[in-house]
Amino acid sequence: MNIQWIRQLNKRIFSGSYRSIRTKLLFCFLIVTLIPLLSLGALSYYQSAKIINSQFGKYGEDAVAQLEQQTSSSLGRMKQMSETIYSYLLDPAHTDLRNQAPVSYSEIIEKNDFEALLKSLWTDQTAGIYIITPSGYYYGENNLDVAKLRNMPEWKTKPASYKGLYWLGFYMQNHAMSSSGDSNLPVLGLAVPIHNSNGTQNGSTILIEENAQELIHMFKLFETDTKSHLTIKASDGRIIYESAPDFTKKDSDITWIRTLAVNQWTIEARLPAKAFYLSSGIIRSNTIVVAVISCLLAFGFAYLFSSRFTARIRTLKDSMQKVSFGKLDTRMPIEGRDELGSLDMSFNRMVSGVQSLVQEVEQSERLKKEAELKAFHYQINPHLLFNTLNSIQWKARLEGADDIRQMLYHLTMVLEGNLDISQELITVGRELRMIEHFLKIQEIRYGNVFSYELNCEDSLKQYLIPRMTLQPLFENIFFHGFTDGIGVIKLDVTVEKNELLLTLRDNGAGMTEEKRERLLVPDQKRRGRGGLGVQNADQKFKLHFGSQYGLTVFSTKGEGTAIVIHWPKEEERPDGYSKEN
């Protein structure tokens, strides 16, 4: 029964309209929701776990470093005490210190002085300072039972022929006399054998004990705080201190190790990997729980929304099918202001737009035909103008008006270059030839009252320049700069790095600074036609080569004007297009 119900549900969900509308919307909603959610959860867990593990590891290293510092401080004090006592005993002046109780007055004085020295070395942490002779007699406080001391395991392990410092480690101070109070004080012991063949204390041992309650308490706090296993080993492998002997070491343990510089003891703190990653594991568990709950909520909301909007989407689908059949009067009722309501309005605007588009296409076709007719008309007009000018030129030649004929000839050459719209970029040489024709016209008009100087190498004439850019500049010189055509014009074309530099100078009337600043500013209201040609030339260079190129104008009222143009070097290709050099 259950299997049949599952099959019916599967067939209902993954067939027909449900497969095409509801299921796709459901899965799309789930994907859009769950992927960012799960990604954010995974990223948050990774970053949080990384930070926590890093901080905990740093905390463990700092804690072990503090243990090292405190332990080294205690060991350093004890070592310094032993060196002070050893130096005192090696002094030949102190020969009255015997291996038995003093009997003479000088020996008693020497004993009192020595014990006063020992007393002066005491600190708040000192638990005992003794000099134990081979005979069993000792110097120091009268609270030591030598027999108990020699039966201690830590004392027995001391080699008989040991030289230098021998660290006894941590042990309980239970070698005191029975009437000397507390005998269960944890201490840290140091034994230093005395080797002085010429002294009376040869064979004796310096015993220094320091109260280890604070150190052991600090060890316990470290173990409780970090949940780690602490071990202190001597350089010969002896275990000086260990948290729990039944601890099992593993390769996966997190280990912090420090070596004491005083006596080469090794402090090793081991933390099981499970305990180290406990905090990050809690974060992982919480992240998984939140992710599962979020997935269930997302699925429920997605199913609810998909079921709610399925009917409206299906209605929109039916309307679109009607439009596809040619029913352009189909419209969707607006049932809300949500996204589906906006979709319904967009559908209605689309259908209305299709109807308007038909009219726009018809209008566009009509305008296209009109543009083709105008282009054909513009192609005819230049031919008519040139034919008329040629007729007038021939008539002037027959009448003997040679000046008029020459002006018409040069005007025809200038117009031929300006009206040729087949190329927007022409060679510098071609532009200079049109300038020569223009200057011939002005020479016939004004006479030989102006001079023109051109400095341009032949190799530079092959590069391209926008068509009809120099002629308006020369025209401005004669119309606004010169009086009756009198003046000097200089044109220089040079190369600067990979760019061409053109400088046009005249010694005409010049212009004011205010007029010069407004000369190249677009959209300026102008009086007459002054400056329009300069602005058009500047815009041509910017359109063809970029906004960083164009004209720069320098002018002084009454002294003349200089126009500087720079643009990149480009050569004409065989197919008529330009190429960068």
Side-chain angles (χ1 to χ4, degrees), residues 139-405:
Y139 294 89
E141 289 191 347
N142 298 324
N143 62 347
L144 176 64
D145 190 337
V146 178
K148 290 182 180 181
L149 176 64
R150 290 176 175 175
N151 288 327
M152 289 175 49
E154 291 79 9
W155 189 268
K156 288 182 178 181
T157 56
K158 179 175 65 69
S161 59
Y162 188 82
K163 294 182 180 181
L165 303 179
Y166 183 81
W167 297 92
L168 300 175
F170 296 97
Y171 55 89
M172 302 302 295
Q173 193 183 44
N174 54 7
H175 49 69
M177 296 181 182
S178 58
S179 61
S180 60
D182 187 12
S183 61
N184 293 320
L185 180 68
V187 295
L188 176 61
L190 170 62
V192 183
I194 300 174
H195 299 281
N196 183 13
S197 58
N198 298 325
T200 57
Q201 293 298 322
N202 186 34
S204 299
T205 303
I206 302 173
L207 175 61
I208 299 175
E209 293 177 336
E210 184 161 326
N211 190 342
Q213 282 183 326
E214 292 187 3
L215 281 178
I216 295 177
H217 178 66
M218 187 171 56
F219 295 160
K220 298 296 183 183
L221 288 179
F222 174 79
E223 296 164 4
T224 304
D225 192 20
T226 62
K227 302 296 187 297
S228 59
H229 177 265
L230 185 63
T231 304
I232 302 178
K233 288 184 179 181
S235 58
D236 56 0
R238 288 182 298 122
I239 301 296
I240 304 300
Y241 176 87
E242 187 173 11
S243 300
D246 57 347
F247 179 80
T248 303
K249 297 181 180 180
K250 296 181 180 179
D251 295 337
S252 60
D253 294 341
I254 307 301
T255 306
W256 300 294
I257 299 177
R258 290 278 182 166
T259 301
L260 304 182
V262 178
N263 57 359
Q264 300 302 310
W265 280 3
T266 301
I267 300 178
E268 179 183 275
R270 281 184 171 269
L271 179 63
K274 183 177 180 181
F276 183 81
Y277 296 108
L278 179 62
S279 299
S280 58
I282 295 174
I283 297 176
R284 181 177 62 250
S285 301
N286 293 337
T287 303
I288 293 175
V289 171
V290 172
V292 171
I293 295 175
S294 301
C295 291
L296 295 177
L297 291 176
F299 182 82
F301 281 114
Y303 185 81
L304 177 63
F305 292 156
S306 62
S307 300
R308 180 179 178 182
F309 297 141
T310 296
R312 295 173 63 183
I313 296 175
R314 190 181 302 166
T315 303
L316 180 60
K317 176 184 177 183
D318 295 338
S319 299
M320 293 177 67
Q321 289 180 347
K322 291 179 182 180
V323 173
S324 66
F325 294 149
K327 298 181 179 180
L328 299 181
D329 57 346
T330 303
R331 297 293 185 273
M332 281 289 298
I334 309 301
E335 299 180 1
R337 296 184 179 181
D338 54 4
E339 287 78 3
L340 287 178
S342 300
L343 187 61
D344 294 336
M345 290 188 291
S346 299
F347 173 79
N348 294 338
R349 288 196 297 268
M350 180 192 70
V351 177
S352 299
V354 170
Q355 294 177 341
S356 300
L357 183 61
V358 175
Q359 298 176 356
E360 292 178 1
V361 170
E362 294 176 354
Q363 180 72 9
S364 177
E365 290 294 330
R366 183 176 61 82
L367 294 176
K368 181 179 178 181
K369 291 181 179 180
E370 291 179 359
E372 290 176 352
L373 291 175
K374 289 181 179 180
F376 181 72
H377 177 71
Y378 291 150
Q379 289 178 355
I380 296 176
N381 283 340
H383 292 289
L384 177 61
L385 177 62
F386 290 145
N387 291 335
T388 303
L389 290 175
N390 288 331
S391 298
I392 297 174
Q393 181 183 1
W394 181 256
K395 183 67 175 176
R397 182 178 181 181
L398 293 177
E399 296 294 335
D402 190 62
D403 291 344
I404 297 176
R405 181 187 64 80

Side-chain angles (χ1 to χ4, degrees), residues 302-510:
Y303 185 81
L304 177 63
F305 292 156
S306 62
S307 300
R308 180 179 178 182
F309 297 141
T310 296
R312 295 173 63 183
I313 296 175
R314 190 181 302 166
T315 303
L316 180 60
K317 176 184 177 183
D318 295 338
S319 299
M320 293 177 67
Q321 289 180 347
K322 291 179 182 180
V323 173
S324 66
F325 294 149
K327 298 181 179 180
L328 299 181
D329 57 346
T330 303
R331 297 293 185 273
M332 281 289 298
I334 309 301
E335 299 180 1
R337 296 184 179 181
D338 54 4
E339 287 78 3
L340 287 178
S342 300
L343 187 61
D344 294 336
M345 290 188 291
S346 299
F347 173 79
N348 294 338
R349 288 196 297 268
M350 180 192 70
V351 177
S352 299
V354 170
Q355 294 177 341
S356 300
L357 183 61
V358 175
Q359 298 176 356
E360 292 178 1
V361 170
E362 294 176 354
Q363 180 72 9
S364 177
E365 290 294 330
R366 183 176 61 82
L367 294 176
K368 181 179 178 181
K369 291 181 179 180
E370 291 179 359
E372 290 176 352
L373 291 175
K374 289 181 179 180
F376 181 72
H377 177 71
Y378 291 150
Q379 289 178 355
I380 296 176
N381 283 340
H383 292 289
L384 177 61
L385 177 62
F386 290 145
N387 291 335
T388 303
L389 290 175
N390 288 331
S391 298
I392 297 174
Q393 181 183 1
W394 181 256
K395 183 67 175 176
R397 182 178 181 181
L398 293 177
E399 296 294 335
D402 190 62
D403 291 344
I404 297 176
R405 181 187 64 80
Q406 290 184 11
M407 290 183 68
L408 289 175
Y409 167 73
H410 294 298
L411 177 62
T412 302
M413 299 304 297
V414 172
L415 292 176
E416 183 178 358
N418 291 339
L419 295 177
D420 183 9
I421 61 174
S422 60
Q423 285 182 302
E424 283 298 325
L425 295 177
I426 63 175
T427 62
V428 174
R430 181 177 173 182
E431 185 75 3
L432 292 178
R433 286 195 298 272
M434 284 191 291
I435 293 301
E436 292 176 357
H437 289 293
F438 174 79
L439 293 177
K440 287 292 184 180
I441 296 175
Q442 305 305 321
E443 183 179 352
I444 296 172
R445 176 184 178 183
Y446 296 108
N448 193 14
V449 296
F450 67 88
S451 63
Y452 169 63
E453 180 181 343
L454 172 64
N455 296 317
C456 179
E457 298 180 0
D458 293 339
S459 60
L460 302 181
K461 295 181 180 181
Q462 61 180 335
Y463 296 109
L464 298 179
I465 188 174
R467 180 180 61 86
M468 195 182 169
T469 52
L470 297 183
Q471 186 255 329
L473 304 182
F474 277 82
E475 186 177 348
N476 279 344
I477 294 176
F478 284 95
F479 288 167
H480 303 287
F482 291 171
T483 301
D484 296 331
I486 301 173
V488 178
I489 303 174
K490 293 183 180 181
L491 178 62
D492 298 321
V493 181
T494 58
V495 176
E496 196 173 84
K497 294 183 180 179
N498 202 33
E499 295 180 351
L500 293 177
L501 184 65
L502 185 147
T503 305
L504 177 62
R505 299 183 180 89
D506 69 79
N507 61 347

Side-chain angles (χ1 to χ4, degrees), residues 97-154:
L97 294 175
R98 303 293 180 178
N99 291 334
Q100 62 273 350
V103 292
S104 64
Y105 177 77
S106 61
E107 291 177 355
I108 293 174
I109 294 300
E110 187 67 30
K111 173 182 178 298
N112 293 336
D113 292 342
F114 182 58
E115 289 185 346
L117 171 66
L118 299 182
K119 193 65 176 178
S120 66
L121 296 177
W122 276 61
T123 65
D124 294 339
Q125 300 298 325
T126 304
I129 303 176
Y130 309 98
I131 307 299
I132 304 169
T133 64
S135 63
Y137 180 76
Y138 67 92
Y139 294 89
E141 289 191 347
N142 298 324
N143 62 347
L144 176 64
D145 190 337
V146 178
K148 290 182 180 181
L149 176 64
R150 290 176 175 175
N151 288 327
M152 289 175 49
E154 291 79 9

